[in-house]
Amino acid sequence: MISLFDEAWLMLNQAGRLLDRAAFESLPELSPPPRGLSERLRDAIAGSPGDTRGPAFGALLDAVLEGVCGLVVGWRKGNDVTARDAETLLDGTTLKPRRAYGAAPVSALHVFVSEATRIGQHKGRRDTAHVVEYLRRRKASLGLITNGREWRLIWADTDNTAFVEWTSDRFLDGDALTPALLVLRRMLSHKSLAPDESGSSCLLAAIKKARLGQASLSKELGERVRAAVELLLSARRPVIEPHWNADESKAVYDAACHFVMRLVV
């Protein structure tokens, strides 16, 4: 049976390993979306201008983060985001989020706005790098950067990053919320972001679970590739031995590795 995650996840732009199916399904389940949400969201998307400082853009942020995700109470935005929320980055840029969800100084989610046409490309590449640096300086983990059309959720720790990205033109299918938007709704719900006694959250625990699974999978894959290379060389021994040259042993082994990896890929 195809799950909500399977239907949506592979269609999203992503890098790193943020979640897998088991980790996603460990997140708290939600009640059905409120009535009228699709109309509110459609109006907000249609009315969002190029000016990211105007009230129409704020209405779009509210429609997605408060309307879709249900994050109504707990925001700091406007004048509540102060100089204490800013970080001076390596290139001299002073960066602070447009809004932050959860208690300072390490909020559960920091939201940033980009003027770039494409998030993660050209000027947008610098903006996403700034967000990653900000999160690391704050020892925070989750940031959301948007230009109104693209919505990239970034996870970062000291050494690694991962992201998944939605586009607003795939939020709705007629009058229905798409599976991709329902995945966003479940990931960024209050239940998923609420900190426990240790200060972590269900979403961060799910990301950690998925990334530990990746490490285990990588180790297992490496062992299987090594075994396959040895099996291949053993099978080809009658062909290799008559022409064996110890000085070329590494080259032969490397060639077998490349052959097996091409089969894997």
Side-chain angles (χ1 to χ4, degrees):
M1 180 178 178
I2 297 177
S3 69
L4 170 67
F5 181 85
D6 294 331
E7 186 174 354
W9 194 254
L10 293 180
M11 298 178 65
L12 299 174
N13 180 29
Q14 55 186 292
R17 185 181 177 89
L18 196 69
L19 287 179
D20 57 23
R21 179 178 179 180
F24 174 78
E25 292 180 348
S26 71
L27 297 175
E29 295 187 9
L30 305 178
S31 57
R35 295 182 62 181
L37 178 56
S38 59
E39 289 83 357
R40 177 188 176 187
L41 183 59
R42 181 181 292 105
D43 291 345
I45 293 172
S48 176
D51 179 13
T52 61
R53 290 287 173 181
F57 197 89
L60 176 61
L61 291 177
D62 289 342
V64 174
L65 297 171
E66 297 182 11
V68 174
C69 299
L71 303 177
V72 178
V73 178
W75 286 106
R76 290 183 298 111
K77 52 186 176 180
N79 293 333
D80 292 331
V81 180
T82 67
R84 295 179 62 186
D85 295 290
E87 291 288 343
T88 300
L89 308 181
L90 287 173
D91 65 0
T93 299
T94 299
L95 183 67
K96 65 179 180 180
R98 177 68 58 90
R99 54 181 69 181
Y101 184 76
V106 185
S107 299
L109 179 68
H110 296 82
V111 179
F112 301 85
V113 171
S114 172
E115 303 285 347
T117 304
R118 296 292 305 275
I119 297 295
Q121 297 185 24
H122 309 298
K123 181 181 181 296
R125 185 186 298 273
R126 183 193 66 183
D127 291 347
T128 54
H130 281 173
V131 171
V132 170
E133 185 180 348
Y134 179 95
L135 294 175
R136 286 173 171 165
R137 286 176 177 272
R138 285 267 151 169
K139 293 182 171 57
S141 298
L142 294 172
L144 180 71
I145 180 170
T146 181
N147 57 8
R149 179 181 179 273
E150 297 164 329
W151 303 71
R152 179 175 292 196
L153 179 65
I154 299 174
W155 169 86
D157 67 5
T158 305
D159 303 308
N160 303 285
T161 63
F163 74 80
V164 61
E165 181 180 289
W166 294 260
T167 56
S168 58
D169 56 3
R170 294 187 178 181
F171 281 171
L172 296 170
D173 183 7
D175 292 330
L177 306 185
T178 62
L181 188 61
L182 293 175
V183 166
L184 172 64
R185 181 172 184 263
R186 187 164 171 179
M187 288 176 65
L188 295 187
S189 73
H190 170 72
K191 291 181 179 179
S192 292
L193 292 178
D196 58 20
E197 294 180 355
S198 68
S200 188
S201 66
C202 291
L203 179 56
L204 291 179
I207 293 172
K208 181 178 180 180
K209 177 181 178 182
R211 294 187 66 81
L212 286 175
Q214 179 188 32
S216 176
L217 179 62
S218 297
K219 181 178 180 181
E220 182 178 351
L221 179 61
E223 289 296 322
R224 293 193 177 195
V225 167
R226 181 187 61 78
V229 168
E230 292 178 356
L231 183 62
L232 173 63
L233 291 175
S234 177
R236 302 300 293 170
R237 183 173 181 176
V239 177
I240 295 172
E241 274 194 339
H243 309 283
W244 180 251
N245 183 337
D247 295 334
E248 298 178 355
S249 59
K250 184 178 184 302
V252 172
Y253 187 84
D254 288 346
C257 288
H258 291 159
F259 178 81
V260 171
M261 286 307 300
R262 290 189 70 176
L263 293 178
V264 171
V265 173

